[in-house]
Amino acid sequence: MASPEFYVDKVSAVPGETVRLFASSPSPQCSLEIRRIGHQSLLVERIDNIQVASHATPENADQFGCDWPVALEFKIGQDWKTGYYDLCLIAGDGTSSHHFVCVRKSRNEHKANAIIVLSTNTYVAYNYWGGANAYANVADLMAGRLDSAASREGAIARLSRMRPYAQTLICPPDVRLRLVNPTVRKMNELVTPADPALIVEHGLSPYDGAAGFIRKWEHKFVSWMEEHGYELDYLTDQDFETEKGLLADYKTAFLVGHSEYWSKNARVQFDRFTEEGGNLAVFSGNTCYWKVRWEDDGQSMVAHKCRGEEQDPYWWDPKTLPDATHVWSHPEFGLPEAKMTGLSFLYGGYHRLCMCVARGGGAYTVYDDQHWALDGTDLFYGDMIGGDLPLIGYENDGCIINFDTQGLPVGSGVGVPENLEIIAIAPATLAESERNPFPPLIPREETDVLSTIAYGRNDDETVERMMRGHAVMASFKRGEGEVFNAGTTEWVYGLEAADPFVEEITRNILRRFEVEPVE
């Protein structure tokens, strides 16, 4: 039975602001339930008797949107707390679908000390409703019309926000969706994160675990924060496209999980924030990797990725080049992500994902046991933390590592800040080994482009060097501010599991960055 489908005109809104909902439904009468999702799920409003007609899905809706008519307008309640709000449209036959809106504080409202910026650009990049996303022609992959390699040729560079979300991405079933192999690989075994039975039962795609809020990284983080009495305000990636000075009222900003796609407007504000004394806590991996831009009054996100120099017309004019798309580390931009975060995915990679470090321990090995982040943790040189979680998995950021005369790892200064303080490391790789006896699931892609960006060369020896990266936990001072980077997408799973080491390190960061529980 077909479900209603819908999208909204805004990624975020302030109390009193109107949100428009565009919908199509085979059942003409629907209801909308609006819930704030945090440590608890709180129903804030239900709207009944919404009349919705059935509308065709235009060709290339993934790139150009649906252009459906408005079915409903509703206002953000004056008493709605800042946060992520799930929108559930329910048809008369009981079928339903989900979308979201973030409620942020207005300019004149009292602000908390800390803010989380939801990775909504990443949500858009992975959304494959309508057929394709920034990675593949997912519809044909799921239907068996294309294999994994061929489907990647169908990736799109223009992604419309004016369409529904793939439901298993935006509101997944309550099952294990971690992109981490659940067990250490046995001899001659092909191991993957996915449970084949769950894939079939829920129709899961390979991209459902990589983005979204509900039951994902950001949800787990804000749930832990709320449970332990911390107050957070919320923004989204796209808010930086229309407003300046959004971080000015805050002492600390959090990036969590998979904050992968960044625009120039967001970078400018974050760079200024830390330079002028703000603190940045990165509990994310693959952070600020792809440079994107928004067009069509914020309705279309453009991400040509590694094909930017050949396919993005902004590269061909010096006036538009600063807004061109590629990896942020491209030397043409002069703004590698590590300048902001301290680390880069180019020097990190995957861990315990398919055949990438498939027998990895999933743990950080401690080196600098006297770093302030480890105060009171009872951790010493050589100790390992998080192996039972695992704490290291999926995507991880790192740096080129040297060792000093005391046997401690230090950043090489190549591509990352010279004052980087490395706390702990774990091995990672950017692709599966070419000696892998199984069909590649994480193949080497664009290695000629990326090796040139990371190391200035693209010969075979340099490409092989790229495959030997590390997840790195580190911090550094930047201007008047400070940055802590956990170096992995999976940090919040340590919080969810109440791992004593991960929790105490997190509390040390909160204390140092002046984020205290509300009394």
Side-chain angles (χ1 to χ4, degrees):
M1 186 177 297
S3 301
E5 297 182 293
F6 73 106
Y7 54 97
V8 292
D9 67 331
K10 294 177 175 66
V11 178
S12 70
V14 299
E17 193 170 359
T18 297
V19 177
R20 296 191 299 165
L21 184 149
F22 309 86
S24 174
S25 175
S27 178
Q29 187 163 299
C30 297
S31 299
L32 180 69
E33 292 185 348
I34 306 173
R35 286 180 168 82
R36 185 185 185 278
I37 308 296
H39 185 55
Q40 297 177 327
S41 174
L42 176 66
L43 178 67
V44 299
E45 187 169 351
R46 178 183 170 98
I47 304 170
D48 294 315
N49 301 317
I50 306 168
Q51 299 303 310
V52 182
S54 180
H55 305 286
T57 299
E59 188 176 356
N60 297 327
D62 45 11
Q63 298 180 68
F64 302 107
C66 291
D67 198 27
W68 291 340
V70 175
L72 171 70
E73 294 185 355
F74 67 90
K75 283 191 174 182
I76 303 296
Q78 294 291 345
D79 60 343
W80 293 10
K81 291 177 57 178
T82 180
Y84 178 99
Y85 283 74
D86 173 61
L87 309 176
C88 180
L89 189 65
I90 307 167
D93 58 12
T95 57
S96 64
S97 67
H98 297 259
H99 209 281
F100 77 95
V101 66
C102 173
V103 174
R104 67 184 193 276
K105 286 184 175 177
S106 61
R107 285 287 189 174
N108 59 358
E109 285 187 84
H110 172 75
K111 304 297 194 297
N113 278 354
I115 190 159
I116 181 172
V117 179
L118 300 183
S119 305
T120 52
N121 287 353
T122 304
Y123 303 0
V124 173
Y126 280 89
N127 183 20
Y128 54 89
W129 191 97
N133 62 12
Y135 295 85
N137 179 338
V138 184
D140 282 352
L141 172 66
M142 297 296 289
R145 293 186 289 269
L146 294 175
D147 63 18
S148 180
S151 74
R152 288 192 286 273
E153 295 301 314
I156 55 177
R158 176 175 295 274
L159 301 111
S160 177
R161 189 178 56 77
M162 305 302 284
R163 56 175 167 148
Y165 270 96
Q167 290 301 288
T168 44
L169 184 147
I170 201 68
C171 189
D174 190 10
V175 297
R176 185 188 189 277
L177 277 183
R178 287 189 70 182
L179 293 171
V180 180
N181 300 341
T183 59
V184 174
R185 179 178 176 241
K186 300 179 177 63
M187 183 176 285
N188 299 321
E189 177 189 27
L190 171 62
V191 60
T192 66
D195 181 334
L198 290 178
I199 292 175
V200 172
E201 180 182 357
H202 298 287
L204 300 175
S205 87
Y207 302 97
D208 289 326
F213 181 90
I214 294 179
R215 302 188 182 97
K216 308 283 180 62
W217 302 285
E218 293 164 333
H219 185 186
K220 294 177 187 299
F221 176 69
V222 300
S223 178
W224 185 88
M225 291 287 281
E226 290 177 6
E227 181 184 11
H228 291 84
Y230 295 96
E231 182 181 359
L232 285 173
D233 290 349
Y234 287 65
L235 286 172
T236 73
D237 287 336
Q238 200 172 31
D239 291 319
F240 295 93
E241 305 309 307
T242 56
E243 295 188 49
K244 296 180 179 179
L246 288 172
L247 302 174
D249 294 326
Y250 298 98
K251 293 182 177 178
T252 298
F254 291 99
L255 304 174
V256 179
H258 200 194
S259 186
E260 181 178 7
Y261 289 78
W262 278 63
S263 73
K264 184 183 73 174
N265 290 333
R267 273 298 304 270
V268 166
Q269 292 203 41
F270 267 84
D271 288 340
R272 181 179 298 120
F273 173 67
T274 50
E275 287 285 355
E276 295 180 353
N279 301 307
L280 176 59
V282 183
F283 299 136
S284 167
N286 196 208
T287 306
C288 195
Y289 187 64
W290 296 113
K291 185 173 182 288
V292 303
R293 68 174 177 272
W294 282 92
E295 297 182 350
D296 305 325
D297 293 324
Q299 294 188 4
S300 303
M301 191 177 83
V302 178
H304 287 274
K305 304 175 80 169
C306 277
R307 300 173 182 176
E309 291 180 80
E310 291 76 33
Q311 297 183 0
D312 187 348
Y314 275 48
W315 274 91
W316 310 333
D317 185 339
K319 294 180 181 178
T320 58
L321 181 57
D323 291 306
T325 65
H326 208 288
V327 292
W328 268 104
S329 286
H330 198 291
E332 197 67 52
F333 303 136
L335 283 173
E337 66 270 29
K339 185 176 182 180
M340 180 183 81
T341 68
L343 305 171
S344 173
F345 187 69
L346 286 174
Y347 307 112
Y350 306 104
H351 186 105
R352 285 275 289 271
L353 180 71
C354 301
M355 294 289 285
C356 293
V357 197
R359 295 190 179 98
Y364 264 132
T365 298
V366 172
Y367 279 81
D368 185 1
D369 58 353
Q370 298 185 54
H371 189 276
W372 59 260
L374 304 191
D375 288 349
T377 60
D378 192 37
L379 288 170
F380 298 93
Y381 173 81
D383 285 351
M384 300 178 72
I385 62 169
D388 54 334
L389 298 170
L391 183 63
I392 308 302
Y394 187 36
E395 294 186 333
N396 310 273
D397 293 344
C399 62
I400 301 173
I401 295 173
N402 295 330
F403 283 84
D404 65 15
T405 57
Q406 295 298 311
L408 295 176
V410 293
S412 66
V414 177
V416 298
E418 292 186 359
N419 63 338
L420 189 74
E421 298 179 4
I422 295 175
I423 306 165
I425 63 177
T429 183
L430 287 173
E432 292 170 333
S433 169
E434 293 189 335
R435 295 185 291 110
N436 173 19
F438 303 104
L441 296 175
I442 313 293
R444 298 186 179 192
E445 296 182 282
E446 316 291 356
T447 52
D448 56 338
V449 176
L450 296 178
S451 64
T452 301
I453 290 171
Y455 292 94
R457 303 183 303 278
N458 68 349
D459 54 86
D460 290 346
E461 182 179 349
T462 306
V463 170
E464 284 303 314
R465 172 66 185 90
M466 283 194 70
M467 296 304 112
R468 302 185 184 98
H470 292 86
V472 173
M473 184 197 305
S475 73
F476 71 105
K477 295 286 186 66
R478 184 184 183 192
E480 299 299 316
E482 189 165 12
V483 179
F484 173 89
N485 196 331
T488 179
T489 55
E490 306 304 287
W491 185 263
V492 296
Y493 284 98
L495 297 178
E496 182 185 47
D499 180 278
F501 303 112
V502 175
E503 285 196 311
E504 191 58 29
I505 293 170
T506 302
R507 289 191 180 97
N508 284 338
I509 297 158
L510 295 174
R511 283 189 287 265
R512 188 174 180 91
F513 288 177
E514 300 182 63
V515 183
E516 300 291 343
V518 178
E519 295 182 358

